[in-house]
Every structure is written in C-alpha cells, then in structure tokens.
Amino acid sequence: MQETNPPQRAIRALHTDTTITVYQAYTPELGLPAARDGRFPAAWKRTRMTWIKPSFLWMMYRCGWGLKEGQETVLAVEITREGFDWALRNSCLSHYDRGLHTDRAQWRRELKRSPARVQWDPERDLRLQPLSYRSLQLGLAGEASRRYADEWTVSIRDVTDLAHEIHARVKNDDLAAAAALLPDERPYPTDEAPGQANPVQRVGDAETRATA
C-alpha cells in the first residue's frame, strides 16, 4: 500500500526484527552460484565498492527488470540489521553538500575514512517513473564490503522470475496484480547511537544523482 504524504527521505524495506532485505543484480555467472549456495562466491570481488538497494522498484529501474546486460540475475540479499545499521553509522554522503560539510576538504576526509556511502535517489513507481520522494542506495567499500559478503549475509534468493512476472503484468496494464506481488516494504527504524544524530537525517538533507 502506497504511503500518504511519505517523508522525502526514508528507508523503506522488507525487514524483520533481525534482518533487512536489499537487492542487487549480477551476471548469471555470479548471481546463480550466490543464490544456490546462499553466500557470495570467491569470484565476488570483496575489494570493490558494491551498492545495495532496499527498494525493489529502484532495483528494477536500475537493472531494467533483470533484462539489462550484466544484470540478468536479480538477488534478494537478506542481511542482519546489526550490519546494516553499522554501515549507516559509518557512512558519508556520496557527494559534497555545503549545508552539511564545512568545505570540500572536510567532505573528502570523511569520504576517505568512511567504509559506506549514502545516496538518495528518486523512488520509482511500477512503470519505473520517478516519484516525489527518495529512496536509499548504500555503497559499501573496504571493511563494509567484506563484512557484507562474509558476515552480514543471512540468505540470498534469486528473484529474477518475480521481477519478470511483475514486469509482464505492468506491460499488460494490470497494475493492481503487479502491486500485489511487490515485497512488503515498510519504513525502516534506523539505529540512533547515543550522542549521534540519526544517520539517515545526518546524511539525508541533500539531493543526489543516481549512480550504479
């Protein structure tokens, strides 16, 4: 069900008391072994930055419903909330914003030492058109990337068929049936450490461009 007057920036996700589900898309060579074994294979480069998306429809926009080359296998990766919250607490906005940073040098220092980066991209509707509010995209590098792959991951599911099924219903203009198949994404209660601003509020006051 679509929210009434949703906040401009908030994390909406499928989550339980202990886990949160994020989405990524890969080649079958990487995605299928990950889904089969429930963990990322050795070929998954832990030294590279990886971007995770709690929004299913934003992932569909990014991978074209699993039809874009190199993104044919769509994965639902269930990770611990403890790990996700750690990444938020140790994140930096992905681009400079004069309202949040003293100067570019300060932002570059934060960016260099932060293992996670936050971006806010326009959320998408079933036709993948931009909505008025924004959805989180979280980039993980260094320690965060390694911990994501080897410590935080609880399960990995191949949801490519689901993506294709929803897409088929959208193409047939059966939006109600398509919406009924979407994951139940609800506002995610972000962690707030003592003496520290809410990580979503801390990095969520600036516009940003979409990147991979």
Side-chain angles (χ1 to χ4, degrees):
M1 181 180 297
Q2 190 167 349
E3 297 174 69
T4 302
N5 299 320
Q8 285 301 297
R9 294 171 184 83
I11 300 171
R12 301 165 186 87
L14 176 65
H15 60 84
T16 70
D17 289 342
T18 58
T19 65
I20 178 173
T21 297
V22 297
Y23 299 93
Q24 295 190 292
Y26 292 101
T27 63
E29 290 76 16
L30 276 177
L32 293 179
R36 180 194 64 215
D37 300 334
R39 64 185 305 273
F40 288 102
W44 192 89
K45 296 185 183 301
R46 287 148 174 82
T47 56
R48 294 179 57 182
M49 174 166 283
T50 189
W51 290 89
I52 58 177
K53 295 92 172 168
S55 166
F56 179 84
L57 283 176
W58 203 94
M59 184 70 253
M60 295 306 100
Y61 165 72
R62 182 66 182 87
C63 71
W65 299 102
L67 300 176
K68 287 186 180 180
E69 184 178 0
Q71 300 185 64
E72 300 91 343
T73 303
V74 184
L75 301 179
V77 185
E78 187 180 20
I79 65 175
T80 66
R81 283 176 56 164
E82 181 181 8
F84 186 77
D85 291 343
W86 181 92
L88 286 179
R89 288 196 304 271
N90 290 277
S91 65
C92 174
L93 194 64
S94 63
H95 74 286
Y96 169 72
D97 180 77
R98 66 179 62 185
L100 296 174
H101 307 108
T102 303
D103 51 36
R104 288 186 180 275
Q106 181 212 1
W107 168 69
R108 291 191 184 98
R109 288 193 297 271
E110 288 187 12
L111 196 66
K112 186 175 182 179
R113 66 172 178 258
S114 298
R117 298 178 186 179
V118 161
Q119 287 196 171
W120 294 101
D121 302 297
E123 181 59 285
R124 301 285 159 165
D125 63 16
L126 278 165
R127 297 193 188 279
L128 306 185
Q129 296 302 303
L131 296 172
S132 61
Y133 53 92
R134 291 182 173 253
S135 180
L136 178 80
Q137 186 178 185
L138 189 60
L140 307 176
E143 180 184 1
S145 180
R146 293 190 298 272
R147 294 181 70 175
Y148 167 69
D150 299 323
E151 296 179 22
W152 303 341
T153 298
V154 174
S155 69
I156 301 177
R157 294 181 292 115
D158 184 346
V159 293
T160 310
D161 288 345
L162 175 63
H164 291 170
E165 184 175 358
I166 295 174
H167 185 212
R169 299 192 183 205
V170 171
K171 288 195 298 182
N172 289 332
D173 291 323
D174 193 352
L175 298 186
L181 295 174
L182 291 173
D184 180 21
E185 294 176 1
R186 297 170 288 112
Y188 179 81
T190 54
D191 181 47
E192 190 168 20
Q196 179 181 350
N198 183 298
V200 172
Q201 295 172 340
R202 176 167 54 85
V203 296
D205 294 332
E207 300 294 321
T208 186
R209 63 185 182 277
T211 65

